[in-house]
């Protein structure tokens, strides 16, 4: 046995193996139970594998003879281990949920109660000053503001619980990407204007514009991230959305990166770790009184997961943030042939150049981007600081 121990049993198992297979120990055990087994690791055909040595009594007067057998139990041990790891993960997730749930309810009831109390208070104030038109107007305005805070919170909570209960399904329909970008621009523009920000959309290497996608959910994802880019920005800042198509994608599909950048307050490295958790809000956001639920990015991440995509971010405090949503869509196979626009023929256009941003404007539908401009006969060139013609 000593020889076997030294030559075959792996170092990490040696001490235990030697202790558990001592003659006296084995005798003691086989008198107590029909089979006594020890699992250990040994070197087997150039690899380390789990083996089991089993002992059973060979009968006899003193019960001191035994039979010994070896068995390769590597697959069994590894699969048990995997099962255990999964169980441990599930347990950790359940514990986290148990802990997060009261926190979730606590936050939610606090966030709902504050504007709700304000609404009740201003209604009673308005009622007691019903003849004073100015005051009533002021109270109604305040009721309006509180309701505006309440509605996104309720929407987010409902959305989250619908997603978590599996009620939200991704509904893929033909989608023309420029239409999506155009709609996004229309929706976000008022908040951009009111905050005096610059907003840019462009496309890079987008050769496929028609895909199957869930427009509603994709819009929700992009608006959530863009909305934060606006919210956590300073007056005069920049928010941009760039759509880039990857050269490689599975057959019949196209893979896109939706890259949203802002020049806002940025996100600390520590908070980046928690940014996709429900109700997580950086201290900078809560202290500065910026409204929010801390649910937007948790919902966004869940939707991106459901679409089979990924979401990553890079951020530097005081400089800005960049989110990259990578999604793969099936192509519809449709290829639009654009009518050449007479007035664009041969026209070179340039709108500006910022680091890593090629900017352009082609009037109303600038969501088409450089590629769309080219397809319509234009000649987009990059130039620095407005040197283009
Ligand atoms: P909400 O915006 O409603 O608070 P989110 O889940 O969308 O919730 O965002 C969570 C938190 O992440 C925000 O409160 C903020 O602290 C931080 N955050 C998200 N996006 C940005 C951004 N672009 N710039 C700075 N901070 C951000």
């Amino acid at each position: 046995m000593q020889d076997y121990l030294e030559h075959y049993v792996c170092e990490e198992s040696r001490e235990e193996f030697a202790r558990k297979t001592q003659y006296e120990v084995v005798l003691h055990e086989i008198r107590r139970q029909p089979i006594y087994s020890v699992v250990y690791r040994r070197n087997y055909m150039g690899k380390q594998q789990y083996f089991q040595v089993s002992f059973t009594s060979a009968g006899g007067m003193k019960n001191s003879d035994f039979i010994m057998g070896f068995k390769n139990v590597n697959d069994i041990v590894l699969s048990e281990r995997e099962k255990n790891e999964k169980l441990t993960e599930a347990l950790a997730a359940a514990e986290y949920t148990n802990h997060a749930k009261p926190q979730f309810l606590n936050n939610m009831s606090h966030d709902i109660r504050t504007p709700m109390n304000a609404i009740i208070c201003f209604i009673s104030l308005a009622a007691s000053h019903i003849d004073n038109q100015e005051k009533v107007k002021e109270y109604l305005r305040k009721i309006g503001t509180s309701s505006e805070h309440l509605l996104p919170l309720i929407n987010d909570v409902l959305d989250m619980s619908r997603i978590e209960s599996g009620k939200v399904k991704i509904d893929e329909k033909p989608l023309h990407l420029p239409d999506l970008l155009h709609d996004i621009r229309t929706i976000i523009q008022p908040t951009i204007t009111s905050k005096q920000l610059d907003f840019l959309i462009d496309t890079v290497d987008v050769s496929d514009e028609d895909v199957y996608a869930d427009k509603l959910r994709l819009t929700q994802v992009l608006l959530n991230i863009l909305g934060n880019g606006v919210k956590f920005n300073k007056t005069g800042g920049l928010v941009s959305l760039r759509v880039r198509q990857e050269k490689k994608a599975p057959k019949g599909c196209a893979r896109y990166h939706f890259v949203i950048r802002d020049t806002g307050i940025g996100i600390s490295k520590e908070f980046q770790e928690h940014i996709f958790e429900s109700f997580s809000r950086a201290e900078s956001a809560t202290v500065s009184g910026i409204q929010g639920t801390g649910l937007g990015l948790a919902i966004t991440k869940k939707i991106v997961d459901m679409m089979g995509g990924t979401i990553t971010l890079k951020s530097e405090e005081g400089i800005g943030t960049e989110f990259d949503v990578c999604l793969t869509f099936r192509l519809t196979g449709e290829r639009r042939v654009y009518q050449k626009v007479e007035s664009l023929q041969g026209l070179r256009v340039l709108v500006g150049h910022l680091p890593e941003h090629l900017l352009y404007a082609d009037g109303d539908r600038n969501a088409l981007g450089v590629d769309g401009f080219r397809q319509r006969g234009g000649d987009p060139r990059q130039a620095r600081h407005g040197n283009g013609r």
Side-chain angles (χ1 to χ4, degrees):
M1 211 61 174
Q2 187 62 27
D3 202 37
Y4 181 80
L5 182 77
E6 277 169 20
H7 286 98
Y8 297 106
V9 178
C10 296
E11 191 155 351
E12 78 219 44
S13 295
R14 249 177 234 164
E15 191 272 324
E16 191 187 354
F17 184 87
R19 186 167 34 83
K20 290 188 171 170
T21 58
Q22 274 177 35
Y23 183 67
E24 298 72 30
V25 175
V26 173
L27 274 193
H28 174 75
E29 291 297 334
I30 59 169
R31 282 173 184 156
R32 284 187 335 119
Q33 53 187 324
I35 297 176
Y36 168 57
S37 301
V38 178
V39 173
Y40 60 98
R41 271 176 86 114
R42 64 158 282 189
N43 296 311
Y44 181 69
M45 301 195 3
K47 284 189 200 147
Q48 295 200 340
Q49 302 229 318
Y50 285 97
F51 267 68
Q52 184 182 51
V53 56
S54 300
F55 304 87
T56 189
S57 167
M61 295 292 282
K62 292 192 212 147
N63 228 0
S64 59
D65 296 333
F66 54 78
I67 302 166
M68 181 170 84
F70 294 91
K71 186 177 171 190
N72 186 333
V73 290
N74 200 51
D75 289 349
I76 302 170
V77 171
L78 291 185
S79 101
E80 277 302 312
R81 236 181 219 188
E82 198 182 325
K83 262 188 229 155
N84 279 344
E85 268 164 27
K86 281 194 182 138
L87 278 176
T88 314
E89 269 170 33
L91 184 67
E95 273 169 3
Y96 175 78
T97 312
N98 273 350
H99 164 78
K101 250 194 192 136
Q103 181 81 19
F104 184 97
L105 289 174
N106 200 17
N107 282 331
M108 198 176 75
S109 25
H110 174 263
D111 286 10
I112 289 180
R113 201 168 43 217
T114 311
M116 213 41 222
N117 276 342
I119 290 171
I120 293 167
C121 169
F122 288 123
I123 287 175
S124 78
L125 278 171
S128 56
H129 294 87
I130 200 76
D131 296 327
N132 185 336
Q133 229 186 17
E134 276 315 300
K135 277 202 163 158
V136 170
K137 258 195 209 160
E138 173 65 13
Y139 296 141
L140 284 178
R141 195 184 57 74
K142 287 182 171 159
I143 291 171
T145 312
S146 298
S147 320
E148 277 166 25
H149 292 160
L150 206 51
L151 193 61
L153 174 67
I154 292 172
N155 281 341
D156 277 359
V157 171
L158 287 179
D159 234 14
M160 193 65 172
S161 70
R162 287 185 63 231
I163 289 175
E164 289 202 325
S165 60
K167 285 196 185 124
V168 172
K169 296 270 175 288
I170 298 299
D171 183 18
E172 291 182 343
K173 297 226 168 73
L175 168 68
H176 185 52
L177 284 173
D179 291 344
L180 169 91
L181 300 185
H182 185 249
D183 289 358
I184 288 204
R185 177 171 199 94
T186 310
I187 299 169
I188 201 90
Q189 193 61 54
T191 46
I192 293 278
T193 310
S194 71
K195 201 142 176 197
Q196 297 174 30
L197 300 171
D198 280 326
F199 181 50
L200 307 158
I201 299 186
D202 74 349
T203 61
V204 175
D205 298 333
V206 175
S207 51
D208 299 294
E209 293 183 332
D210 291 278
V211 293
Y212 288 103
D214 187 328
K215 186 177 179 197
L216 184 79
R217 295 295 165 191
L218 182 54
T219 307
Q220 185 180 6
V221 163
L222 298 178
L223 283 179
N224 260 341
I225 305 174
L226 284 166
N228 283 341
V230 174
K231 208 159 64 168
F232 298 104
N233 222 320
K234 324 156 219 105
T235 303
L238 175 77
V239 180
S240 68
L241 166 61
R242 166 170 285 188
V243 187
R244 182 169 59 78
Q245 184 173 347
E246 262 189 32
K247 298 252 177 324
K248 283 192 188 146
K251 201 162 182 291
C253 298
R255 181 166 292 153
Y256 303 90
H257 289 266
F258 295 85
V259 179
I260 297 112
R261 288 190 182 154
D262 68 67
T263 54
I265 59 173
I267 304 162
S268 70
K269 284 270 169 298
E270 301 77 66
F271 188 67
Q272 286 179 36
E273 310 269 314
H274 302 282
I275 195 154
F276 297 114
E277 291 165 13
S278 295
F279 284 118
S280 59
R281 305 195 67 214
E283 219 172 278
S284 48
T286 45
V287 170
S288 56
I290 299 171
Q291 286 299 324
T293 61
L295 280 175
L297 286 175
I299 293 172
T300 300
K301 167 92 170 72
K302 285 204 186 283
I303 297 174
V304 171
D305 286 348
M306 284 166 72
M307 289 177 167
T310 57
I311 176 167
T312 52
L313 78 144
K314 288 188 239 161
S315 184
E316 219 173 301
E317 282 181 280
I319 307 278
T321 303
E322 176 185 303
F323 281 89
D324 183 339
V325 178
C326 177
L327 292 165
T328 306
F329 298 123
R330 279 181 303 126
L331 296 169
T332 60
E334 191 176 339
R335 272 212 176 257
R336 299 191 186 204
V337 180
Y338 289 104
Q339 298 243 315
K340 298 271 180 217
V341 179
E342 209 46 52
S343 57
L344 292 182
Q345 297 306 305
L347 183 72
R348 287 170 59 191
V349 70
L350 180 80
V351 185
H353 182 271
L354 286 173
E356 296 178 60
H357 277 89
L358 174 61
L359 315 176
Y360 65 91
D362 66 349
D364 182 33
R365 291 178 58 100
N366 65 355
L368 289 171
V370 174
D371 304 305
F373 181 70
R374 188 181 288 115
Q375 283 161 10
R376 286 163 178 78
D379 176 17
R381 305 260 165 111
Q382 188 169 351
R384 288 174 185 276
H385 309 299
N387 289 337
R389 272 193 301 126

